Amino acid sequence: MTQHIKRQEGKGHRCISRRKARRAHFQAPSHVRRLIMSSRLCKDLRAKHDVRAMPIRKGDDVKVLRGKFKGKEGKVEKVYRLRWCIHIDKCQKEKSNSSSVAVPIHSSNVEILKLKTTKHRTEILERKRSGNNKASPNTAANIAGKQQAAAMVD
């Protein structure tokens, strides 16, 4: 039986077969999972750093946006890459023997309120910011340039 597989142009000619994409996602190594487990930044951080999302890290302050703990804010205690979840200090439940256990929350269901800044993380923010400014088609300079070009054509 012949199988028709569409190929994606660009980086490495990745296959876009659903089966192979799911396999690649769930068998991803830890350094790739770090990037996949990114969370969006709050509006203040987004305006300050000009970056939409960052990989989540232990020590970040986050707010839960979905689920049973919606609205709770806390600090990330653990990023559990193997299980695709994070543990937050204020999101716990009581067991029957009265001990508390952390509830796993997916990183897409939280918003980063405060970044734990390190030298490496500030370098990442700078790199993302500079990449955004070059690639953004609707910056003020690009819009002014397009208007001047349109005026010259008329």
Side-chain angles (χ1 to χ4, degrees), residues 24-139:
H25 177 79
F26 289 109
Q27 291 183 353
S30 184
H31 72 282
V32 175
R33 286 178 186 232
R34 176 185 160 271
L35 296 173
I36 295 171
M37 290 181 69
S38 293
S39 294
R40 72 183 200 190
L41 300 180
C42 67
K43 288 183 180 179
D44 299 336
L45 287 177
R46 202 178 308 166
K48 179 182 176 185
H49 298 294
D50 194 26
V51 173
R52 186 170 185 81
M54 281 289 287
I56 200 146
R57 183 188 196 282
K58 178 182 175 181
D60 286 344
D61 288 338
V62 296
K63 178 181 178 183
V64 182
L65 302 175
R66 297 280 183 274
K68 183 179 177 182
F69 296 98
K70 180 178 181 177
K72 286 220 175 185
E73 296 179 11
K75 195 174 287 276
V76 176
E77 287 182 334
K78 182 177 183 179
V79 179
Y80 201 163
R81 291 185 192 167
L82 190 65
R83 291 188 60 200
W84 298 95
C85 66
I86 60 172
H87 292 160
I88 302 170
D89 61 355
K90 294 180 182 169
C91 297
Q92 297 179 345
K93 68 177 182 179
E94 292 268 330
K95 290 173 65 173
S96 59
N97 62 359
S98 72
S99 66
S100 62
V101 63
V103 175
I105 297 171
H106 196 270
S107 60
S108 66
N109 295 332
V110 298
E111 180 179 62
I112 300 174
L113 300 176
K114 184 180 174 196
L115 290 167
K116 180 178 180 182
T117 53
T118 60
K119 179 184 172 190
H120 182 64
R121 218 150 189 220
T122 51
E123 289 172 2
I124 292 170
L125 283 168
E126 286 296 321
R127 188 172 63 236
K128 285 183 130 191
R129 182 182 303 135
S130 65
N132 284 349
N133 290 340
K134 290 176 189 171
S136 179
N138 292 329
T139 58

